[in-house]
Amino acid sequence: MLAVADQLFYERGIHAVGVDTIVARADTAKTTLYGHFGSKDALVDAYLQRRSQLWQEHVEAEIAASDSGPAARILRVFEVLGRSLAEPGFRGCPFINACAEFADDHAAAATARAHRRWLHGVFARLADQAGAADPELLATQLGMLYDGSMVAAHVDSDRAAATTARAAAAALLIASGIEVDTTAAVGLRSGSPRCSPLVAPWERPGG
C-alpha cells in the first residue's frame, strides 16, 4: 500500500489521490489501509518519511564510499542529485511539492522540514570539515543551489540542472577559500547505480 501510495501521490499530487484509488490499485480494502495507517494524513506522512529515509541512506552511503576530501564530497551530493533528476517521471522535489499542498502545521510539512534540516546538516558538516569560515552560511547557499536545480529540472525540463548547480557549488567553495580538486570529474558519473527520492527503480512499472 505504501509503495502504491508513493507512486500515486508523487505522479498525481497528494490531494488529487483519494483512498479509494489507493486501495483499488493496491488490491486491498479501506479497512486494511486504516488498520495500518489510521488516516490518509498518516499515510501521507509515512510516504514522505519513507522517501526521506531512502534518500538519506543513499546520499550518506555515497558520501561514505568516497575516498576524496570533504569538498569533493559536497560536489558528490550534486552528482547523486543529478542522477535523480534524470530519472523517468521526475516531477520535482516530493518534499517541496508536499509543502505546497499542506499548511505549515500539517505532519507532512513537518516531515519535509525535517528532511531539509538533514540536508542542511550534511552540507554544514562537510563545509566545516573542508575548513569553511562559516559552514552554516555555506550550507544555506549550497541548499539553495540544490533546490534550484530541482525546480529547473521540473519546471524548465532542464535535466542537466544539477551539473550547472555543481559548477556553481564549486565556485562557491573556491570563493570560500576551500581548495577544489580540478581533476575531479565534472558532471555526472557514468555507470553509477541509480537511486532517487522518486520511485525506486524496482518499484516503477516495468522497472
Side-chain angles (χ1 to χ4, degrees):
M1 283 186 296
L2 187 54
V4 167
D6 181 297
Q7 184 173 5
L8 292 173
F9 286 154
Y10 187 75
E11 288 180 351
R12 303 182 187 180
I14 295 169
H15 286 318
V17 177
V19 169
D20 288 339
T21 302
I22 294 170
V23 297
R25 177 73 68 86
D27 193 23
T28 186
K30 282 186 180 179
T31 53
T32 303
L33 186 149
Y34 288 125
H36 280 286
F37 299 102
S39 66
K40 180 184 175 181
D41 282 342
L43 175 61
V44 170
D45 191 38
Y47 145 68
L48 290 173
Q49 288 190 31
R50 175 176 177 270
R51 289 255 174 168
S52 181
Q53 180 182 354
L54 289 173
W55 189 241
Q56 288 185 41
E57 290 174 352
H58 180 56
V59 170
E60 295 287 6
E62 286 274 347
I63 292 172
S66 173
D67 57 1
S68 302
R73 291 179 180 181
I74 288 173
L75 301 182
R76 173 73 66 88
V77 174
F78 288 92
E79 295 173 10
V80 175
L81 177 64
R83 298 199 298 273
S84 170
L85 304 191
E87 288 281 356
F90 178 78
R91 291 184 55 80
C93 172
F95 306 101
I96 294 175
N97 293 350
C99 285
E101 293 201 55
F102 293 101
D104 289 345
D105 60 353
H106 193 280
T111 296
R113 289 193 296 271
H115 180 82
R116 293 172 63 78
R117 285 194 298 272
W118 160 78
L119 178 66
H120 179 89
V122 169
F123 282 139
R125 182 183 79 232
L126 294 174
D128 182 59
Q129 293 172 0
D134 191 339
E136 290 294 325
L137 174 60
L138 183 55
T140 297
Q141 294 169 332
L142 292 168
M144 289 179 176
L145 291 174
Y146 184 100
D147 288 344
S149 64
M150 287 189 290
V151 172
H154 182 203
V155 179
D156 302 328
S157 298
D158 180 5
R159 300 307 192 203
T163 302
T164 305
R166 182 189 187 279
L172 267 178
L173 295 178
I174 293 170
S176 300
I178 297 172
E179 184 177 350
V180 174
D181 182 4
T182 56
T183 65
V186 176
L188 307 183
R189 294 175 299 145
S190 61
S192 300
R194 295 186 303 171
C195 179
S196 77
L198 312 182
V199 180
W202 55 88
E203 292 174 355
R204 286 200 307 268

